[in-house]
Amino acid sequence: PQPVRTLADLCSGQSAVIERLAGAPGLLARLTAQGLAPGVTIRVVQRMPTHVIELGETTLAVERRVAEAIFVR
């Protein structure tokens, strides 16, 4: 089986598919509203000072604690 990884584990330029989201209901609602959901492909643009990701035509910046709540494969 593949090891469990989060968005925080990915390097700049890497792509992955969201497997699941973790966290408080408010955080989950916000992430879902921004288009992050299981099955969605994301690409890491940068990791520092904050994680910047692309999904489709959307670019989002998320804090490290949020990146650690986005599980990918």
Side-chain angles (χ1 to χ4, degrees):
Q2 248 184 335
V4 175
R5 298 185 305 163
T6 68
L7 170 58
D9 297 323
L10 301 179
C11 298
S12 294
Q14 277 190 300
S15 294
V17 176
I18 297 174
E19 190 166 282
R20 67 183 170 91
L21 304 172
L27 172 62
L28 296 177
R30 191 182 76 190
L31 293 176
T32 302
Q34 292 174 324
L36 296 168
V40 172
T41 299
I42 56 173
R43 188 177 79 81
V44 179
V45 177
Q46 73 178 44
R47 291 175 43 117
M48 296 299 265
T50 186
H51 287 76
V52 177
I53 57 173
E54 290 178 341
L55 53 149
E57 298 296 314
T58 303
T59 302
L60 297 173
V62 296
E63 301 168 351
R64 179 166 182 86
R65 68 174 183 79
V66 175
E68 291 170 345
I70 301 171
F71 291 84
V72 298
R73 55 182 152 82

